[in-house]
Amino acid sequence: MTEQQPSPARFTGDANPYGGGDPYADHRTADFPFTRYANLADRQLGAAVVAANDEFFAHRENLLLPEPAEFDPERFGHKGKVMDGWETRRRRGTSAEHPWPTDDDHDWALVRLGAPGVVHGIVVDTAHFRGNYPQAVSVEGTSVPGSPSPEDLLADDVKWTTLVPRTEVGGHAANGFAVDAGQLVTHLRVNQHPDGGIARLRVHGEVVPDPRWLSVLGSFDVVALENGGHVEDASNRFYSPPTNTIQPGRSHKMDDGWETRRRRDRGHDWIRYQLVARSEIRAIEIDTAYLKGNSAGWASVSVRDGADGDWQEALPRTRLQPDTNHRFVLPTAAVGTHARVDIYPDGGISRLRLFGALTEEGVSGLTARHRQLGG
């Protein structure tokens, strides 16, 4: 097992017992730079907690729920306090003379990422676990192709790399860890030492798709998050994140898209994307599903070839309808590595789809990166 340098947690120690009122009023958190990357452990992307050695008090699946953990001080079940997270029973020693767990005792959960990728940071949030959080956590990663079972992942021949070394954490806190492993990861093993509860897990990074799969597909969405596209920047993130626009599937509610605050000037809003690799774009979809009184009035799409290239308009400014999926076939393919959607003057869109295929240069570049990362 290879080791990474420690990335210290922001918080340690107990939080105060719940004293009433807003349970998040004393929740400890910070701005972590790596959260600009997408959450690879998003259920919407296909992530799952596939196994855990213990989930006596609270189920492992809670780790990946998208919303913040909830706390009801009066909710108890037949096993005790009902917690919104993953919580294991208290570990014990081997005898009355040695009642304490050993230094090696720990609980674990196996997490399948929604897509293979490079992890840049991890948040282990112990929200509402004030005196029953783990003393320390560690996180390991591996890359296993296909759809391995828990037994496959736990086999002796699977190589795990330490992404977060064993580090003390705090209760009722978002504990953040920067990761610089530089390798492809498909699964995580999240360990809590020796036991306790974790409310939520967020794994921020970049999707790195298998170029062989994309080559077989031929034409596909070259900006989709699951295919390796990502958001570089956006003019406004007031109501919802721009990454929503490249999530899988159609939006199912208003905040599952991208919506900006109301403008009171003569400007407009935009999102800039990096495509999976250099591509030829032949068709565009702009969806405003569930955005009825707040959809963008008009939109345009531009493409740039290379980080220093000039923006070329692929779709001119076009009127949008609320709660509608708009489809456009381009008269000629737009070739590039980056795209930008501009909306006028403000509002939102739920999804952007750019359908096309990789160029030869795009295929070779993506293949080289995939091999470099161990794919």
Side-chain angles (χ1 to χ4, degrees), residues 100-137:
W100 309 279
T102 69
D103 289 342
D104 293 332
D105 285 343
H106 67 280
D107 293 317
W108 53 265
L110 296 177
V111 177
R112 182 189 69 233
L113 298 183
V118 177
V119 177
H120 292 297
I122 295 173
V123 177
V124 177
D125 195 343
T126 58
H128 315 305
F129 289 96
R130 296 170 178 268
N132 51 347
Y133 60 94
Q135 181 184 24
V137 300

Side-chain angles (χ1 to χ4, degrees), residues 29-102:
T29 188
D31 291 328
F32 303 112
F34 54 74
T35 57
R36 67 186 180 89
Y37 294 102
N39 177 22
L40 303 183
D42 190 338
R43 283 285 301 169
Q44 190 173 1
L45 192 59
V49 186
V50 298
N53 72 307
D54 188 307
E55 47 185 332
F56 185 86
F57 286 114
H59 299 302
R60 64 183 192 250
E61 288 85 1
N62 291 335
L63 282 173
L64 306 188
L65 292 178
E67 62 275 354
E70 297 181 351
F71 180 73
D72 182 349
E74 298 183 359
R75 189 180 179 196
F76 287 82
H78 68 279
K79 291 184 178 180
K81 182 72 187 71
V82 176
M83 296 296 290
D84 185 7
W86 168 49
E87 185 181 4
T88 66
R89 72 192 77 201
R90 299 187 188 218
R91 283 183 170 269
R92 296 294 186 242
T94 57
S95 67
E97 291 73 26
H98 299 282
W100 309 279
T102 69

Side-chain angles (χ1 to χ4, degrees), residues 24-261:
Y24 274 104
D26 60 340
H27 179 252
R28 295 174 289 176
T29 188
D31 291 328
F32 303 112
F34 54 74
T35 57
R36 67 186 180 89
Y37 294 102
N39 177 22
L40 303 183
D42 190 338
R43 283 285 301 169
Q44 190 173 1
L45 192 59
V49 186
V50 298
N53 72 307
D54 188 307
E55 47 185 332
F56 185 86
F57 286 114
H59 299 302
R60 64 183 192 250
E61 288 85 1
N62 291 335
L63 282 173
L64 306 188
L65 292 178
E67 62 275 354
E70 297 181 351
F71 180 73
D72 182 349
E74 298 183 359
R75 189 180 179 196
F76 287 82
H78 68 279
K79 291 184 178 180
K81 182 72 187 71
V82 176
M83 296 296 290
D84 185 7
W86 168 49
E87 185 181 4
T88 66
R89 72 192 77 201
R90 299 187 188 218
R91 283 183 170 269
R92 296 294 186 242
T94 57
S95 67
E97 291 73 26
H98 299 282
W100 309 279
T102 69
D103 289 342
D104 293 332
D105 285 343
H106 67 280
D107 293 317
W108 53 265
L110 296 177
V111 177
R112 182 189 69 233
L113 298 183
V118 177
V119 177
H120 292 297
I122 295 173
V123 177
V124 177
D125 195 343
T126 58
H128 315 305
F129 289 96
R130 296 170 178 268
N132 51 347
Y133 60 94
Q135 181 184 24
V137 300
S138 61
V139 182
E140 301 158 276
T142 190
S143 178
V144 180
S147 304
S149 68
E151 292 75 21
D152 294 332
L153 294 169
L154 295 172
D156 292 339
D157 60 345
V158 174
K159 179 184 177 182
W160 291 90
T161 297
T162 300
L163 305 181
V164 177
R166 181 170 175 168
T167 309
E168 290 189 3
V169 295
H172 196 45
N175 302 276
F177 306 89
V179 176
D180 186 21
Q183 68 179 62
L184 195 68
V185 175
T186 62
H187 294 77
L188 299 181
R189 183 162 59 188
V190 181
N191 306 303
Q192 46 179 339
H193 309 267
D195 53 41
I198 298 170
R200 295 291 188 267
L201 177 74
R202 305 292 186 242
V203 183
H204 296 277
E206 299 175 79
V207 174
V208 180
D210 187 340
R212 294 168 297 181
W213 174 255
L214 297 183
S215 295
V216 169
L217 292 180
S219 183
F220 60 93
D221 183 0
V222 298
V223 77
L225 180 61
E226 61 187 323
N227 293 332
H230 69 267
V231 170
E232 286 191 329
D233 201 1
S235 61
N236 189 274
R237 304 165 186 256
F238 190 84
Y239 285 113
S240 45
T243 299
N244 282 353
T245 61
I246 55 175
Q247 288 277 9
R250 294 197 72 194
S251 171
H252 295 289
K253 54 181 180 174
M254 190 171 70
D255 66 351
D256 190 23
W258 172 60
E259 182 188 356
T260 71
R261 70 178 75 200

